[in-house]
């Protein structure tokens, strides 16, 4: 981590994403490198910039409706500059978190997109050589419909004006007149960021095009091959967007809405700068299945970036489902559903997953549809195609829109239905390509060649079956075609949403009538690919598999044969959805959900953790804190009758290890703890007594409480004790066949048979399938065992059945009661665990019941592993931290041992 302090007399600095230079300290990310191998991690390097945006004063009169009052750019140190030790990846909670003090400025919505919603017309006489105006057709402007004002836009300049050098004057002018704050990306950086990484790697991957696909060139050297230098450019560009947002942001008031895959890394970078910012991210492209997403080398970075937002939005449940599956498989992060809402628990925060497709801007459509230009064009189109059925396709030129499949289906239709020749025409409008490339040129050339071939086969005097429009159209002209078309055809093989059918439905309902009876019910028909995001919401469409040319041709024929009443009913149904789910509804819904998701940010107790794209925040409860030597060592030193309770798996033994035998270091630490006559040390585990006895045999004075406390011994040579419970094991004959069935049908699962319990393990099974099977197994067992004296519990990758009145909490109470009966009630209790079953132990020592008590003056330390909801007051990161803490206790009790000055070794160093 390279940190440069910012003197108060300097402007705000920007950041650039760079690889660590020689001599930069190596760091370890605990989540990615649990084996503690040193790994080079990219970091953010400070870079001076003069891109600060000065305060803007309105020169009289009312500001533009979207304008916002801006605050003067205070010359503050960068939040990262407050970190004294560059190598430390965790900072202590603080009230400021590097944020600016609260400001009375009105809350704003900051909309961040690749480009600003501006038009730029060259004008040599204008400042900076361009005349700027709001682009009412721009999607970012439409996406802000429904958001409360004021709204400010952050993005790059229009492509026509991309050559303008960075200018504070221009930034201030655009902010004052249009509420647009520009990000000045150099030409080379933008090319590598947008054309290189976004359009020719990330976008194809999200649309299921792997590097070995038909357009990739093969051998890994294709168009969408991952290149590290392009990824660094992508991160650098996202960092510059974060700089601009941060200059404007009041984190206690503003909401940030980030749009689409171009800015996928932005939530992580912005969260690092402003831990309390309320951030929403909406992905307007598909999210591929986890099998495809796992092929991306930076997959963990991208997943963590979305999890650093407070709300993540998708158009369809399919995309959200793929995202949740990727989080589970790659990060081990699971989701939950509560009151119909999907959430992901991530380091103390709940990330809301929103599913809502973007609608159309009805106000803008109505304005264009009601214009004389649109009516005149619609009349012209009706006259041109009089007596013929018009099939309309409107597509971007790219690999996934299936234009060639559409033309092939039209050819098949004319081949099989000779009566339609001369009566049906397909008008294909190609939108301008958003990014140049060989793939775009190939698609355009193929479409033109297919048009020429089909027209050569089926043309008649005054009739061409394919009309290809490759020149840009005005909005009036385009909407006139929508209004005039009898059928809309979308054959994309993969598309994020595709609002073409929505626009077509609105135009057919509210567009000018070129013919027909005024006031008569409107009608329409839609042939729609089943792989398009809008497909689930248009139930009246004729759905087709675009890869099956015969299926598409049949769909076209079916749409042509619909009777008038059927077409009217479909139009009515679709129009009702379109007007009730327009873009203003989408904006309001997104805004309300982000407000709810971020309502507790101001009061959160926050830790900033990690470096670069691995950075995140950890949110702690109001009384939840990391166990430090200053908390526990003095108490340990001054007490004389201590009880130490340690879970085994996941606590003193790391998760994920194949060999469960304790290390020599762990054996040494346990023996040294047990050698102190003031200590009573127990391992309390759900494991069977025989395997625990074998593994911990070198620890002569260590107590073991096995099978959740049913079997207990106080030392290696003492006998096993069990509670005086009358427990029948007949229930095992009911459980075993059920578990065996689930084991047979769930690869990677197995049954562990204990003397008093049966456990079904699925840690080696497919994560999604295993979780699903575990829930079903638990429900099945609860039904089968409803009248049996047993409990069915779910834990970490297990489903366990054990007798009632057996548990770790009961075991701890029995241990303390036995110590009291021997005249030595503990005055110090340390309990460490990581799983749900350990919560019973925490409850036993933090919430003693009326029939169970210990010394009121006893020093209690309940400690869980990892930051998560828990009855424990303290937490440690992992089993390594537990071992370091135990060593610290021993060191502090030795003569001359440090009490409060000692620190646990930081696992990040």
């Amino acid at each position: 981590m390279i940190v440069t302090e910012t003197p108060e007399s300097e402007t705000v600095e920007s950041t650039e994403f760079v690889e660590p230079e020689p001599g930069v300290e190596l760091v370890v990310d605990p989540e990615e490198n649990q084996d503690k191998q040193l790994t080079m991690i990219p970091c953010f390097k400070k870079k001076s910039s003069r891109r600060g945006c000065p305060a803007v004063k309105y020169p009289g009169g009312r500001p533009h409706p979207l304008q916002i009052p801006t605050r003067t750019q205070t010359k503050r140190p960068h939040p990262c500059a407050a970190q004294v030790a560059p190598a430390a990846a965790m900072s202590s909670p603080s009230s400021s978190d590097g944020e600016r003090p609260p400001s009375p400025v009105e809350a704003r919505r900051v909309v961040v997109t690749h480009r600003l919603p501006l038009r730029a017309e060259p004008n040599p006489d204008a400042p900076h050589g361009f005349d700027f105006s709001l682009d009412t057709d721009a999607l970012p402007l439409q996406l802000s419909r429904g958001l409360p004002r004021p709204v400010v836009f952050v993005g790059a300049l229009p492509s026509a004006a991309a050559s303008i050098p960075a200018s504070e004057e221009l930034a201030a002018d655009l902010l004052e007149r249009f509420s647009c704050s520009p990000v000045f990306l150099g030409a080379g950086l933008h090319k590598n960021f947008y054309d290189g990484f976004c359009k020719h790697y990330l976008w194809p991957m999200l649309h299921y095009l792997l590097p070995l696909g038909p357009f990739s060139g093969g051998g890994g050297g294709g168009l969408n091959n991952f290149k590290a230098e392009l990824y660094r450019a992508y991160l650098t560009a996202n960092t510059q967007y974060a700089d601009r947002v941060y200059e404007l942001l009041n984190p206690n008031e503003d909401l940030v809405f980030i749009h689409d895959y171009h800015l996928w890394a932005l939530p992580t970078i912005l969260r690092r700068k402003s831990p309390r910012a309320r951030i929403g991210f909406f992905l307007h492209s598909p999210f591929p299945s986890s099998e495809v997403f796992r092929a991306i080398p930076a997959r963990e970075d991208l997943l963590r970036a979305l999890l650093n937002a407070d709300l993540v939005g998708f158009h369809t449940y399919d995309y959200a489902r793929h995202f949740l599956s990727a989080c589970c498989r790659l990060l081990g992060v699971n989701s939950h559903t509560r009151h119909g809402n999907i959430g992901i628990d991530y380091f103390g925060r709940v990330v809301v997953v929103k599913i809502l497709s973007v609608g159309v801007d009805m106000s803008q459509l109505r304005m264009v549809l009601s214009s004389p230009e649109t009516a005149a064009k619609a009349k012209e189109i009706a006259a041109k195609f009089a007596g013929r059925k018009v099939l309309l396709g409107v597509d971007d030129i790219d690999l996934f829109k299936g234009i060639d499949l559409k033309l092939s289906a039209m050819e098949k239709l004319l081949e099989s239905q000779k009566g339609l020749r001369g009566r049906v025409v397909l008008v294909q409008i190609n939108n301008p390509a958003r990014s140049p490339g060989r793939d775009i040129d190939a698609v355009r050339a193929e479409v033109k060649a297919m048009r020429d071939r089909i027209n050569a086969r089926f043309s008649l005097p005054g009739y061409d079956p394919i009309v290809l429009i490759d020149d840009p159209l005005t909005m009036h002209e385009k909407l006139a075609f929508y209004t005039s078309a009898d059928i809309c055809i979308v054959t994309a093989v993969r598309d994020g949403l595709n609002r073409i059918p929505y626009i077509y439905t609105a135009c057919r309902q509210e567009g000018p009538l070129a013919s027909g009876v005024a006031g008569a019910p409107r009608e329409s028909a839609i042939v729609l690919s089943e792989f398009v995001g809008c497909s689930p919401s248009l139930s009246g469409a004729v759905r087709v598999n675009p890869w099956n040319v015969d299926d598409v041709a049949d769909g076209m024929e079916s749409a042509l044969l619909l009777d008038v009443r059927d077409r009217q009913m479909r139009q009515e149904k679709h129009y009702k959805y379109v007007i009730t789910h327009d873009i203003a509804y989408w904006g309001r819904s997104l805004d309300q959900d982000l407000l709810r998701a971020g309502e507790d940010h101001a009061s959160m107790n926050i830790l900033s953790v990690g470096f670069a794209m691995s950075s995140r925040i950890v949110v702690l409860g109001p009384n939840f804190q990391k166990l430090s030597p200053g908390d526990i060592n003095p108490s340990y030193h001054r007490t004389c009758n201590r009880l130490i309770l340690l879970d085994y798996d996941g606590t003193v033994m790391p998760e994920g290890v194949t060999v469960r035998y304790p290390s020599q270091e762990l054996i040494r630490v346990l023996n040294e703890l047990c050698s102190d006559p003031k200590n009573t040390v127990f391992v309390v585990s759900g494991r069977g007594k025989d395997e625990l006895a074998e593994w911990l045999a070198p620890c002569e004075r260590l107590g073991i409480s096995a099978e959740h406390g049913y079997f207990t011994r106080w030392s290696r040579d003492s006998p096993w004790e069990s509670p005086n419970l009358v427990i029948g094991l007949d229930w095992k004959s009911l459980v075993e066949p059920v578990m065996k069935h689930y084991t047979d049908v769930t690869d990677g699962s197995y049954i562990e048979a204990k003397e008093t319990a049966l456990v079904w393990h699925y840690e080696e099974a497919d994560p999604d399938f295993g979780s699903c099977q575990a829930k079903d197994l638990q429900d099945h067992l609860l039904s089968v065992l409803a009248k049996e004296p047993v409990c069915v519990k779910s834990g970490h990758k297990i489903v366990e059945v054990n007798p009632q009145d057996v548990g770790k909490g009961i075991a701890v109470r029995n241990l303390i009661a036995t110590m009291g009966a021997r005249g030595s009630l503990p005055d110090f209790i340390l309990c460490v665990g990581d799983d749900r079953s350990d919560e019973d132990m925490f409850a036993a020592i933090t919430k003693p019941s009326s029939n169970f008590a210990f010394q009121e003056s006893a020093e209690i330390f309940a400690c869980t592993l990892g930051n998560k909801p828990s009855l424990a007051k303290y937490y440690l990161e992992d089993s390594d931290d537990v071992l370091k803490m135990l060593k610290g206790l021993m060191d502090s009790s030795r003569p001359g041992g440090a009490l409060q000055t000692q620190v646990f070794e930081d696992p990040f160093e």
Side-chain angles (χ1 to χ4, degrees):
M1 173 67 69
I2 308 171
V3 179
T4 304
E5 300 225 1
T6 310
E8 298 210 353
S9 60
E10 293 182 3
T11 58
V12 177
E13 293 182 339
S14 67
T15 54
E16 180 181 2
F17 199 91
V18 297
E19 297 285 357
E21 298 173 355
V24 176
E25 192 164 2
L26 296 178
V27 297
V28 174
D29 187 301
E31 186 176 274
E32 283 300 291
N33 300 279
Q34 294 185 6
D35 58 357
K36 297 298 176 288
Q37 296 296 314
L38 291 180
T39 303
M40 186 74 76
I41 300 178
C43 63
F44 295 100
K45 180 180 179 181
K46 290 300 200 114
K47 178 182 176 183
S48 297
S49 173
R50 288 177 50 85
R51 294 191 301 100
C53 184
V56 178
K57 296 181 179 180
Y58 299 112
R62 297 188 58 163
H64 186 278
L66 293 179
Q67 283 177 356
I68 58 164
T70 60
R71 60 182 61 80
T72 302
Q73 295 303 306
T74 55
K75 302 174 179 67
R76 64 189 184 283
H78 191 279
C80 296
Q83 301 180 25
V84 177
M90 180 176 291
S91 59
S92 300
S94 67
S95 59
S96 63
D97 294 310
E99 305 287 6
R100 277 165 278 182
S103 168
V105 176
E106 183 180 4
R108 303 162 300 175
R109 272 57 179 171
V110 182
V111 177
V112 194
T113 57
H114 170 221
R115 291 200 185 275
L116 293 170
L118 294 174
R119 287 193 179 99
E121 298 292 337
N123 181 359
D125 299 327
H128 309 284
F130 288 90
D131 287 326
F132 291 93
S133 61
L134 279 174
D135 182 1
T136 56
D137 297 335
L139 185 59
L141 192 61
Q142 296 178 12
L143 293 174
S144 69
R145 306 285 193 231
L147 297 181
R149 269 34 186 175
V151 174
V152 61
F153 298 94
V154 175
L157 290 172
S159 57
S163 60
I164 297 178
S167 166
E168 293 181 1
E169 292 75 18
L170 176 60
D173 178 61
L174 295 179
L175 184 62
E176 178 180 359
R177 291 197 290 148
F178 308 113
S179 289
C180 290
S181 184
V183 178
F184 296 101
L185 298 178
L189 174 61
H190 186 272
K191 179 177 177 59
N192 289 335
F193 151 67
Y194 182 71
D195 295 327
F197 191 78
C198 289
K199 297 303 292 183
H200 288 101
Y201 179 74
L202 190 54
W203 181 77
M205 290 293 291
L206 296 179
H207 287 75
Y208 288 75
L209 183 61
L210 291 169
L212 297 180
F215 291 95
S216 68
L223 294 173
N224 60 327
N225 191 42
F226 183 87
K227 296 179 176 62
E229 63 274 15
L230 296 182
Y231 181 57
R232 284 195 295 271
Y234 179 77
L235 297 180
T236 298
N238 273 253
T239 302
Q240 294 191 21
Y241 278 86
D243 291 339
R244 182 59 82 186
V245 173
Y246 183 61
E247 290 172 0
L248 300 164
L249 188 63
N250 180 351
N252 294 327
E253 301 292 339
D254 300 341
L255 272 66
V256 181
F257 295 90
I258 302 168
H259 290 282
D260 222 2
Y261 62 93
H262 315 92
L263 305 174
W264 195 315
L266 185 53
T268 288
I269 303 170
L270 186 59
R271 179 70 69 195
R272 182 172 182 81
K273 290 172 171 289
S274 183
R276 298 188 191 278
R278 292 179 287 182
I279 303 171
F281 180 93
F282 202 95
L283 185 65
H284 294 278
S285 75
F287 194 104
S289 66
S290 61
E291 288 76 11
V292 174
F293 188 81
R294 278 151 53 188
I296 299 175
R299 58 195 190 178
E300 288 89 356
D301 288 355
L302 298 180
L303 282 181
R304 285 197 208 92
L306 295 193
L307 294 175
N308 273 320
D310 299 296
L311 180 148
V312 183
F314 302 93
H315 289 305
T316 71
Y317 172 69
D318 272 352
Y319 305 155
R321 176 171 56 86
H322 293 161
F323 167 66
L324 297 175
S325 177
C327 288
C328 176
R329 292 172 182 275
L330 296 176
L331 300 181
V333 177
N334 294 311
S335 61
H336 62 263
T337 303
R338 188 173 297 125
H339 303 303
N341 299 314
I342 303 174
I344 300 174
D345 294 319
Y346 189 65
F347 291 98
R349 295 185 304 118
V350 176
V351 181
V352 176
V353 178
K354 176 81 172 176
I355 303 169
L356 184 63
S357 60
V358 174
V360 296
D361 188 346
M362 290 301 300
S363 60
Q364 188 217 14
L365 284 179
R366 284 168 177 152
M367 181 178 65
V368 179
L369 288 171
S370 62
S371 68
E373 295 94 330
T374 303
K377 185 63 177 178
K379 186 175 181 180
E380 176 188 330
I381 294 171
K384 180 177 180 180
F385 298 107
R388 298 190 175 106
K389 293 290 186 179
V390 177
L391 285 65
L392 177 68
V394 181
D395 300 281
D396 294 343
I397 289 288
D398 66 49
L399 299 173
F400 303 103
K401 291 301 186 287
I403 304 174
D404 56 334
L405 300 173
K406 186 186 310 179
L407 298 186
S408 295
M410 182 66 175
E411 184 177 24
K412 178 70 72 173
L413 179 65
L414 295 176
E415 283 177 354
S416 60
Q417 301 296 329
K418 296 181 180 179
L420 294 178
R421 299 175 187 177
R423 297 173 49 202
V424 177
V425 60
L426 172 61
V427 178
Q428 175 62 40
I429 299 174
N430 292 339
N431 295 324
R434 300 183 185 181
S435 179
R438 297 197 310 271
D439 51 340
I440 303 299
D441 297 337
V443 171
R444 179 176 282 109
E446 181 181 13
V447 169
K448 288 182 177 179
M450 293 184 70
R451 174 204 58 185
D452 295 341
R453 189 188 75 245
I454 296 171
N455 284 346
R457 289 186 63 189
F458 301 108
S459 288
L460 299 171
Y463 166 75
D464 284 329
I466 306 293
V467 176
L468 184 62
I469 301 176
D470 221 3
D471 298 322
L473 298 179
T474 66
M475 182 60 72
H476 298 92
E477 293 171 326
K478 193 174 288 186
L479 294 194
F481 274 104
Y482 283 115
T483 299
S484 306
D486 299 283
I487 300 173
C488 176
I489 302 179
V490 177
T491 55
V493 297
R494 191 69 61 180
D495 219 344
L497 176 64
N498 200 315
R499 297 188 301 164
I500 298 301
Y502 294 167
I503 299 172
Y504 169 71
T505 298
C507 291
R508 289 291 289 179
Q509 187 71 27
E510 302 190 11
L513 275 173
S515 60
V517 181
R522 302 295 184 98
E523 60 183 66
S524 68
I526 300 172
V527 178
L528 184 61
S529 165
E530 63 189 56
F531 300 115
V532 172
C534 65
S535 178
S537 59
L538 296 174
S539 57
V542 179
R543 294 195 180 96
V544 296
N545 175 5
W547 294 107
N548 186 337
V549 173
D550 291 334
D551 190 28
V552 179
D554 291 343
M556 290 179 174
E557 184 179 2
S558 297
L560 288 167
L561 295 177
L562 292 173
D563 60 44
V564 173
R565 181 58 186 153
D566 199 352
R567 292 165 60 88
Q568 289 173 352
M569 291 177 61
R570 293 170 189 253
Q571 167 66 18
E572 181 182 351
K573 187 175 187 178
H574 294 163
Y575 179 67
K576 183 177 180 180
Y577 177 85
V578 169
I579 61 171
T580 56
H581 293 77
D582 65 352
I583 205 162
Y585 169 84
W586 179 85
R588 288 192 301 270
S589 180
L590 203 66
D591 186 76
Q592 292 166 5
D593 283 356
L594 183 54
L595 277 171
R596 284 192 290 268
E599 61 187 357
D600 297 329
H601 278 27
S603 59
M604 283 180 175
N605 190 15
I606 291 176
L607 293 173
S608 294
V609 180
F611 282 83
M613 289 303 293
S614 295
S615 64
R616 58 203 175 274
I617 61 170
V618 176
V619 178
L620 310 178
N623 299 314
F624 195 52
Q625 57 185 300
K626 186 171 184 179
L627 184 59
S628 70
D631 296 320
I632 192 171
N633 287 3
S635 298
Y636 183 87
H637 183 72
R638 63 174 169 258
T639 52
C640 57
N641 195 11
R642 314 178 190 112
L643 175 61
I644 300 174
L645 306 165
L646 303 171
D647 174 46
Y648 191 75
D649 292 291
T651 301
V652 294
M653 283 296 294
E655 283 287 355
V657 296
T658 303
V659 179
R660 309 307 300 178
Y661 285 89
S663 65
Q664 290 301 314
E665 184 181 23
L666 176 59
I667 293 295
R668 182 183 63 79
V669 170
L670 291 175
N671 277 328
E672 190 167 351
L673 280 173
C674 293
S675 66
D676 190 331
K678 297 179 180 180
N679 292 343
T680 300
V681 185
F682 265 85
V683 167
V684 184
S685 173
R687 289 275 182 179
K689 63 182 178 66
D690 293 335
E691 58 186 351
L692 286 175
E694 178 186 356
W695 293 342
L696 299 171
C699 302
E700 181 180 355
R701 298 183 60 184
L702 177 69
I704 297 176
S705 187
E707 298 196 21
H708 298 295
Y710 186 79
F711 295 103
T712 299
R713 74 178 190 189
W714 290 78
S715 66
R716 186 182 64 189
D717 299 327
S718 62
W720 288 102
E721 303 171 1
S722 59
N724 295 321
L725 300 176
V726 180
I727 297 179
L729 300 179
D730 294 341
W731 54 267
K732 282 191 173 184
S733 63
L734 301 175
V735 173
E736 282 180 324
V738 176
M739 285 190 173
K740 185 177 185 307
H741 169 73
Y742 280 84
T743 302
D744 291 341
V745 298
T746 310
D747 286 344
S749 65
Y750 63 94
I751 301 172
E752 178 189 3
K754 304 177 183 178
E755 291 188 44
T756 61
L758 287 173
V759 187
W760 188 73
H761 293 261
Y762 62 96
E763 64 267 18
E764 297 177 6
D766 178 273
D768 289 337
F769 186 54
S771 297
C772 179
Q773 293 289 80
K775 180 65 171 65
D776 194 44
L777 171 60
Q778 186 175 5
D779 292 342
H780 192 162
L781 291 174
L782 286 171
S783 175
V784 170
L785 302 171
K787 297 182 180 180
E788 299 294 330
V790 295
C791 295
V792 182
K793 300 178 182 178
S794 62
H796 181 66
K797 304 293 185 181
I798 64 167
V799 175
E800 182 169 11
V801 182
N802 52 26
Q804 292 177 353
D805 300 322
V806 174
K808 288 187 176 183
I810 296 173
V812 168
R813 293 188 183 97
N814 290 338
L815 291 176
I816 295 175
T818 302
M819 292 178 68
R822 296 176 178 177
S824 57
L825 274 176
D827 55 2
F828 172 98
I829 302 176
L830 168 64
C831 180
V832 189
D834 73 308
D835 206 349
R836 294 180 192 175
S837 61
D838 300 314
E839 295 295 316
D840 294 339
M841 290 199 293
F842 302 149
I845 63 174
T846 57
K847 298 179 179 179
S849 60
S850 58
N851 59 353
F852 163 72
F854 43 82
Q855 297 183 41
E856 291 186 3
S857 59
E859 311 257 12
I860 307 296
F861 294 89
C863 179
T864 188
L865 263 66
N867 173 42
K868 57 180 181 283
S870 174
L871 294 174
K873 180 180 178 180
Y874 300 97
Y875 80 95
L876 290 171
E877 292 290 345
D878 52 27
S879 57
D880 284 349
D881 262 5
V882 175
L883 210 56
K884 293 165 189 170
M885 179 268 295
L886 296 177
K887 291 178 184 177
L889 295 180
M890 296 183 299
D891 292 341
S892 69
S893 63
R894 295 190 183 104
L899 295 182
Q900 303 204 28
T901 56
Q902 177 195 1
V903 297
F904 302 153
E905 181 184 350
D906 195 321
F908 295 90
E909 292 182 346

